[in-house]
Amino acid sequence: MSATPVIDVPASHPSPAPPIRLGCVSFLNTLPLIEGLGKLSDARLTLTAPARLIDLLLQREVDLGLLSVIDYQRSPDPLVMLPVGMIGCDGPTLTVRLFSSVPIEKLTRVHADIDSHTSVALLRVILAERFGLKPEIVDLDVDAHRATGAAWPEAMLVIGDKVVTDAPPAVRYPHQLDLGQEWKELTGLPFVYATWMCREGDVEKVRPMAALLDRQRRHNATRTDWIVHSRANVRGWPEDLAGHYLKDLLRFDVKDQHRVAVDRFFELAERHGVIGDRRAGVWAEV
């Protein structure tokens, strides 16, 4: 009886996992978090305005987003914050600034940059807490407004690189507030503008990428001077100011005091009607 033929069957290999989709912002202040991520085969970056990131996350177009912290409260779906990187400050921010042509205590209306939800919420908290004000807030697309050549409003909140690279004329706005400094004076705490977040059910899925984000942030902290030298001028920043901004003013590591600060911000936002009933802040451990 002939032997049963042996047939070699190639071993099956599982398909590689699809890349984790990251939503983030391409401001100078995000580079310590995202520089180098574009080279990773297991990550895919989508760059957009801060205010757009919550929509991308909820529409499942990204898995992880560097979201404005106020969007944690406003999201209809539960989110989780990941302590692997943030955009924060402990005093002046420089790039989140209220410009006013009248004394702050006389404000009745503020045109607010639509790029950041958290900055607008912070403005409302500070004006209510420090000045007893609840001015009308009007959305302002700063770039589109510049393009029209229309007159600048009486008061406006501007965020991001354009505060430095295309600032409104100081002679037009003699009254200014740095919101990071105002928050520090109000609470004694640092402030957190944005941190990595995911949907509540996706923590395990994104955990490996969260660990990688943590390592990349730590690596970038060792080469801040290189980031400044390589990236500042192309964004219109003077190198010395960019270095001061990234090294002295901003904070990127999430520490216990930053979690406390986020909770305090949520508390005050609820008190002044910026949000409804607040959720407890939930941070995933990675």
Side-chain angles (χ1 to χ4, degrees):
M1 185 170 58
S2 60
T4 302
V6 177
I7 301 175
D8 290 330
V9 178
S12 61
H13 297 284
S15 300
I20 296 294
R21 300 165 300 167
L22 302 174
C24 43
V25 180
S26 185
F27 289 159
L28 180 69
N29 63 16
T30 63
L31 295 184
L33 301 180
I34 70 171
E35 180 68 35
L37 293 178
K39 299 177 181 178
L40 301 177
S41 60
D42 47 357
R44 190 175 77 201
L45 269 65
T46 296
L47 302 177
T48 188
R52 277 278 298 137
L53 292 172
I54 180 61
D55 295 330
L56 296 181
L57 189 66
L58 293 176
Q59 293 163 9
R60 298 186 175 273
E61 295 181 32
V62 300
D63 305 300
L64 260 172
L66 188 60
L67 269 60
S68 289
V69 293
I70 200 66
D71 288 337
Y72 176 88
Q73 293 291 342
R74 291 177 171 169
S75 170
D77 299 334
L79 305 179
V80 173
M81 295 176 281
L82 300 157
V84 295
M86 68 171 199
I87 305 295
C89 64
D90 193 12
T93 305
L94 183 64
T95 53
V96 181
R97 184 168 292 269
L98 174 65
F99 296 85
S100 179
S101 59
V102 301
I104 304 301
E105 59 270 17
K106 295 183 178 180
L107 286 178
T108 59
R109 175 184 297 175
V110 177
H111 286 70
D113 197 329
I114 61 174
D115 275 352
S116 171
H117 295 156
T118 290
S119 297
V120 178
L122 177 59
L123 174 70
R124 291 176 62 186
V125 166
I126 287 172
L127 291 180
E129 281 284 314
R130 290 186 66 82
F131 300 94
L133 298 176
K134 291 191 176 182
E136 178 187 3
I137 303 295
V138 180
D139 286 349
L140 176 67
D141 185 328
V142 176
D143 294 330
H145 184 88
R146 288 184 189 280
T148 67
W152 288 109
E154 180 178 82
M156 62 179 180
L157 174 68
V158 183
I159 70 110
D161 291 351
K162 53 186 170 285
V163 175
V164 170
T165 62
D166 201 10
V171 66
R172 173 78 172 86
Y173 296 107
H175 308 279
Q176 299 184 20
L177 294 181
D178 182 301
L179 297 197
Q181 182 63 40
E182 293 296 319
W183 172 263
K184 181 70 174 181
E185 293 178 5
L186 174 65
T187 66
L189 294 168
F191 191 76
V192 179
Y193 290 96
T195 192
W196 292 106
M197 296 186 211
C198 69
R199 293 179 295 271
E200 187 178 59
D202 286 351
V203 174
E204 291 307 315
K205 173 183 177 181
V206 305
R207 194 180 296 278
M209 179 54 63
L212 191 150
L213 291 173
D214 188 56
R215 291 195 299 271
Q216 190 66 32
R217 185 194 78 254
R218 294 174 188 276
H219 173 59
N220 286 339
T222 69
R223 56 176 187 158
T224 305
D225 288 337
W226 176 85
I227 291 174
V228 168
H229 180 71
S230 303
R231 308 295 188 229
N233 287 337
V234 296
R235 284 172 164 75
W237 280 73
E239 279 194 36
D240 57 345
L241 182 59
H244 173 59
Y245 179 58
L246 294 184
K247 293 190 289 186
D248 302 327
L249 299 185
L250 296 190
R251 303 291 185 269
F252 303 100
D253 297 354
V254 179
K255 302 183 183 301
D256 288 344
Q257 62 181 338
H258 299 113
R259 301 189 192 207
V260 171
V262 168
D263 287 342
R264 179 66 170 150
F265 177 50
F266 291 163
E267 175 191 340
L268 292 178
E270 180 185 39
R271 176 188 299 176
H272 295 292
V274 178
I275 59 173
D277 294 339
R278 60 189 157 111
R279 296 177 170 131
V282 176
W283 297 80
E285 297 306 323
V286 296

